[in-house]
Amino acid sequence: MVITIAAHKGGVGKSTTAVHLASCLSRIAPTLLIDADMNRSVMRQWATKGKLPFKVVDERQAAMYTRQYEHTVIDTEAGADEDDLKAVVGGCHLLVLPCTPDPLSIGALMSTIGTLKRIEASRYRVLLTIIPPKPNRDGEDARELLEKHGLPLFRRGIRRTVAFQRAVLEGTTVDQVDRTGLASLDYDRVAEEMVTLVDRYVRRSVTA
């Protein structure tokens, strides 16, 4: 399974999503995370302490390692253009598009969706991230808007919590810093849905 995380705009939880989906997949089978973001956020902020339950390499090392792992998660650079997206879509089973519930992020997402439609890509899902707690309705309003435009969304979004900041500082995943398990529950549910989607896509391609 190859999962790619992409976003036109920074600050939407792209690397956080890559790390936590890789962590979820690593419970199923050996998982590799390829840090292809020029900022090297995962390698420089998370992986240096050696606490992550999966291997992290940059894209220059990927060819050496990919065959050793059953699952691969790719954290891409922000701001991909049409040619980049063509390559990304052709190289993964599912493209995950994180988006925060604010006008700038949604606007950038819509631009990306427009490009994906032009290249006739279909294997992608939008993931709402950094959703503020209730009674704030930004998350619900963003979901309603995106669904109104017919965009494919994960059923679950990622709620904002300080536990994610602690996870970055400690170089680990959020389930290791929040013993209640509540902070990691959202990504667990997203990962379950993601596995089901990829399985469906693979079966379709085999029978096509």
Side-chain angles (χ1 to χ4, degrees):
M1 184 186 304
V2 179
I3 304 297
T4 297
I5 319 299
H8 188 77
K9 181 180 177 297
V12 297
K14 179 173 61 64
S15 294
T16 299
T17 295
V19 165
H20 286 85
L21 291 182
S23 178
C24 292
L25 290 176
S26 71
R27 299 173 201 156
I28 304 171
T31 298
L32 176 70
L33 191 152
I34 300 173
D35 189 351
D37 190 331
M38 295 304 294
N39 292 325
R40 299 283 188 256
S41 300
V42 178
M43 297 194 72
R44 293 172 180 170
Q45 297 181 26
W46 260 296
T48 54
K49 296 187 179 180
K51 296 181 181 179
L52 296 176
F54 48 84
K55 179 75 174 177
V56 179
V57 300
D58 69 32
E59 75 278 10
R60 296 166 297 184
Q61 303 167 308
M64 179 68 73
Y65 290 96
T66 49
R67 292 188 179 182
Q68 301 175 30
Y69 294 87
E70 186 167 340
H71 302 310
T72 301
V73 176
I74 306 172
D75 182 17
T76 62
E77 186 173 4
D81 61 20
E82 184 167 329
D83 289 337
D84 292 330
L85 284 174
K86 282 182 181 179
V88 164
V89 169
C92 69
H93 294 102
L94 181 67
L95 176 63
V96 178
L97 302 170
C99 177
T100 53
D102 64 86
L104 289 177
S105 294
I106 292 173
L109 171 69
M110 297 305 291
S111 176
T112 299
I113 295 297
T115 302
L116 290 171
K117 288 182 177 179
R118 283 198 301 274
I119 63 176
E120 299 182 343
S122 59
R123 292 185 300 184
Y124 64 88
R125 281 292 185 280
V126 176
L127 176 63
L128 284 172
T129 57
I130 319 180
I131 300 171
K134 294 180 179 180
N136 188 300
R137 283 192 47 85
D138 287 355
E140 290 90 339
D141 291 344
R143 179 173 291 276
E144 290 175 5
L145 175 64
L146 297 177
E147 288 178 342
K148 182 179 179 181
H149 282 83
L151 303 190
L153 278 79
F154 283 101
R155 291 190 294 269
R156 191 99 172 202
I158 308 301
R159 291 167 288 186
R160 186 181 69 199
T161 170
V162 296
F164 286 108
Q165 298 173 18
R166 289 180 55 202
V168 177
L169 293 173
E170 297 187 22
T172 188
T173 49
V174 74
D175 57 304
Q176 298 302 307
V177 298
D178 179 13
R179 300 299 180 181
T180 68
L182 295 176
S184 62
L185 183 62
D186 292 339
Y187 274 116
D188 291 343
R189 295 293 180 266
V190 169
E192 291 172 3
E193 183 178 357
M194 180 181 70
V195 170
T196 300
L197 284 169
V198 171
D199 180 64
R200 185 186 308 159
Y201 291 145
V202 169
R203 283 190 280 108
R204 283 178 181 173
S205 65
V206 169
T207 57

